[in-house]
Amino acid sequence: MPREQGDSGEFVETVPPEDVLDVFDAVDGPVVLSADVAEYFDVTRETARRKLQILYDRGTLDRRKVSRRVIYWRDHAEPTPDTAGDRTPPRERPEDGATSTRS
């Protein structure tokens, strides 16, 4: 899929980060890789990593580095419609750049 450009020549977002959550329903297993997202949306792995990073920063996904890959899964601590009143604070980024999740 070629990147789309707006009227001013800037690249426009064609895959909103929220749409990336659809990949969890499409793959076999509870985790996804950036390669899964890239293949599903026909985008580069870098674009897929950026979308996953946005969802991680929001606290929607959690992640862990396994060997040389980063796996992502839905953060089940996030509020669901039946627990909407129990809000958790937004995720803070690790200072040292580590990819490990909360303890």
Side-chain angles (χ1 to χ4, degrees), residues 3-24:
R3 294 177 68 186
E4 292 184 28
Q5 292 181 305
D7 294 335
S8 62
E10 298 173 348
F11 289 109
V12 296
E13 184 176 78
T14 57
V15 179
E18 297 76 22
D19 288 358
V20 171
L21 297 176
D22 295 342
V23 178
F24 286 92

Side-chain angles (χ1 to χ4, degrees), residues 5-103:
Q5 292 181 305
D7 294 335
S8 62
E10 298 173 348
F11 289 109
V12 296
E13 184 176 78
T14 57
V15 179
E18 297 76 22
D19 288 358
V20 171
L21 297 176
D22 295 342
V23 178
F24 286 92
D25 298 326
V27 299
D28 185 25
V31 299
V32 298
L33 302 167
S34 58
D36 296 319
V37 174
E39 182 179 323
Y40 186 84
F41 290 107
D42 193 25
V43 296
T44 66
R45 286 190 184 185
E46 181 57 33
T47 296
R49 277 190 286 273
R50 284 195 314 267
K51 304 298 181 180
L52 290 163
Q53 180 66 44
I54 290 168
L55 292 169
Y56 173 76
D57 289 342
R58 290 180 184 170
T60 304
L61 298 180
D62 222 334
R63 69 180 182 196
R64 183 172 84 112
K65 190 167 187 174
V66 177
S67 187
R68 293 177 43 172
R69 297 193 180 238
V70 179
I71 59 172
Y72 294 85
W73 62 93
R74 291 181 180 170
D75 186 351
H76 294 291
E78 276 300 295
T80 59
D82 53 327
T83 62
D86 301 329
R87 300 293 305 177
T88 55
R91 172 173 283 121
E92 295 180 23
R93 288 187 132 192
E95 296 289 326
D96 61 356
T99 59
S100 62
T101 61
R102 294 171 272 181
S103 302

